[in-house]
Amino acid sequence: MIYKRVALIGLGLIASSMFWAMRRGNLAGEVTGYARSAETRDTARRIGLCDRVCDSIAEAVDGADLVVLAVPVGVMGAVAAEVAQHLAPGATVTDVGSVKREVIDAVGPHLPEGVHFVPGHPVAGTEHSGPESGFATLFDNRWCLLTPVPGSDADAVARLRAVWERIGSNVEEMDPDHHDLVLAVTSHAPHLIAYTMVGVADDLRRVTDSEVIKYSAAGFRDFTRIAASDPTMWRDVFLNNKEATLEILGRFTEELFALQRAIRTGDGDHLHDYFTRTRAIRRGIIEAGQDTDAPNFGRGSGT
Ligand code: NAP
């Protein structure tokens, strides 16, 4: 057991998965939970999510030595302001937000002296959300990035690292701005591109009479999976990782124009070289153990 009492604020995909993984590893004496809506709290009670589901932040945070902010990035500051009033001295506050710089700036100023702030981001997820979407193995063999701030207490960082490791993650420390740039490439921009592609298909649906749904091939289906992700979470990610996302999208647009031009001018060499380079990236991800090499992600047939 690493913490006596852990409070999960927000009971969605990430918090519920953390609960099941912490229970699997016997990492906390007691886990309390709070969610904004009575509906989510009732669901949590019904499925046994958390040892105790509380009706207020005050009750959930009371006596906790680790508080996890697991709400959308855009409300982290407001939630931290309320959490801060009930924190025990020496407690650690962490978050699981997909963006780090804006969250640090929004949360940090609310936390009182003597409380340790160790921001974090488990790089694992699915397109599902809510208290029933979590599962204990979500973080197994995935990365959890901790982005300590100046003055972060070394022992507090080490303890949080130990929890994530025993939850099943590989943990690395990273500078918050660097984190936001890396994630803009690996997660944020790809999500925006998926949203766009599915939006284009939706517009076309009207002229193709639903054929894009009926004949949807694996390439498009993969986009629709990503584009089914929670609208609130992703709105907040883009609004709070503005600079890095715009930088990557600028580069993306340039590359897209170059490929567009290669198609127009019949430059097959350019296309072939490009696709050869990108194929190597896929091999790298599989070799790093971050995805399966089964065709179509092991889901059976499809192109
Ligand atoms: P989720 O399943 O949509 O759950 C969000 C939780 O936050 C819900 O319990 C919700 O309460 C609560 N909440 C929403 N707005 C709130 C507010 N204004 N005040 C208080 N509570 C509020 O979300 P999630 O996927 O677990 O994501 C949580 C965090 O993890 C986000 O910051 C996200 O960026 C980050 N993250 C997500 C993923 C992913 O793939 N999903 C991966 C890594 C990190 P109600 O149910 O009562 O509305």
Side-chain angles (χ1 to χ4, degrees), residues 184-255:
V185 182
T186 59
S187 172
H188 306 168
H191 270 80
L192 199 76
I193 292 159
Y195 281 123
T196 314
M197 197 55 231
V198 176
V200 168
D202 186 46
D203 289 343
L204 263 178
R205 194 162 53 127
R206 290 174 205 122
V207 270
T208 59
D209 198 18
S210 292
E211 280 166 324
V212 287
I213 304 289
K214 185 172 168 190
Y215 300 120
S216 82
F220 179 63
R221 284 202 304 269
D222 288 337
F223 278 126
T224 62
R225 184 188 65 72
I226 297 171
S229 300
D230 188 69
T232 305
M233 170 187 157
W234 283 96
R235 176 202 62 196
D236 285 5
V237 165
F238 295 120
L239 294 181
N240 289 280
N241 197 18
K242 200 170 170 174
E243 221 173 283
T245 307
L246 291 178
E247 163 66 21
I248 301 308
L249 287 174
R251 288 170 185 247
F252 175 81
T253 315
E254 285 170 20
E255 301 269 316

Side-chain angles (χ1 to χ4, degrees), residues 20-296:
W20 299 120
M22 286 194 289
R23 169 179 274 190
R24 179 186 67 177
N26 190 27
L27 304 181
E30 188 192 29
V31 180
T32 59
Y34 168 82
R36 164 181 67 162
S37 68
E39 192 190 343
T40 298
R41 298 197 296 269
D42 287 346
T43 304
R45 289 184 181 110
R46 179 171 53 76
I47 64 174
L49 178 64
C50 296
D51 300 311
R52 193 155 50 86
V53 176
C54 305
D55 289 324
S56 70
I57 284 187
E59 204 187 321
V61 169
D62 184 45
D65 44 2
L66 177 67
V67 178
V68 182
L69 308 179
V71 296
V73 163
V75 294
M76 288 281 184
V79 169
E82 198 177 340
V83 162
Q85 299 167 37
H86 310 285
L87 290 167
T92 293
V93 174
T94 188
D95 76 288
V96 294
S98 309
V99 174
K100 296 282 43 96
R101 171 55 62 199
E102 289 284 333
V103 168
I104 290 169
D105 291 349
V107 170
H110 295 293
L111 302 182
E113 281 283 306
V115 163
H116 309 298
F117 181 31
V118 188
H121 176 206
V123 186
T126 74
E127 68 278 25
H128 300 297
S129 53
E132 293 182 276
S133 58
F135 52 98
T137 54
L138 176 65
F139 308 111
D140 285 352
N141 197 33
R142 296 282 169 232
W143 286 99
C144 179
L145 303 173
L146 299 181
T147 60
V149 290
S152 279
D153 178 73
D155 287 345
V157 176
R159 239 169 125 196
L160 186 64
R161 169 186 273 270
V163 162
W164 277 112
E165 282 173 354
R166 286 183 47 192
I167 277 176
S169 296
N170 308 311
V171 182
E172 197 127 293
E173 287 181 31
M174 204 181 258
D175 168 76
D177 296 307
H178 187 66
H179 166 280
D180 290 351
L181 183 63
V182 171
L183 268 291
V185 182
T186 59
S187 172
H188 306 168
H191 270 80
L192 199 76
I193 292 159
Y195 281 123
T196 314
M197 197 55 231
V198 176
V200 168
D202 186 46
D203 289 343
L204 263 178
R205 194 162 53 127
R206 290 174 205 122
V207 270
T208 59
D209 198 18
S210 292
E211 280 166 324
V212 287
I213 304 289
K214 185 172 168 190
Y215 300 120
S216 82
F220 179 63
R221 284 202 304 269
D222 288 337
F223 278 126
T224 62
R225 184 188 65 72
I226 297 171
S229 300
D230 188 69
T232 305
M233 170 187 157
W234 283 96
R235 176 202 62 196
D236 285 5
V237 165
F238 295 120
L239 294 181
N240 289 280
N241 197 18
K242 200 170 170 174
E243 221 173 283
T245 307
L246 291 178
E247 163 66 21
I248 301 308
L249 287 174
R251 288 170 185 247
F252 175 81
T253 315
E254 285 170 20
E255 301 269 316
L256 188 64
F257 279 150
L259 290 174
Q260 208 171 310
R261 190 181 156 76
I263 294 170
R264 191 184 309 283
T265 58
D267 187 350
D269 288 347
H270 180 87
L271 295 173
H272 193 272
D273 288 352
Y274 203 92
F275 302 158
T276 304
R277 187 151 67 85
T278 55
R279 190 177 225 190
I281 297 273
R282 174 84 192 146
R283 266 201 304 275
I285 291 172
I286 291 160
E287 276 159 27
Q290 294 299 304
D291 210 346
T292 170
D293 66 350
N296 195 22

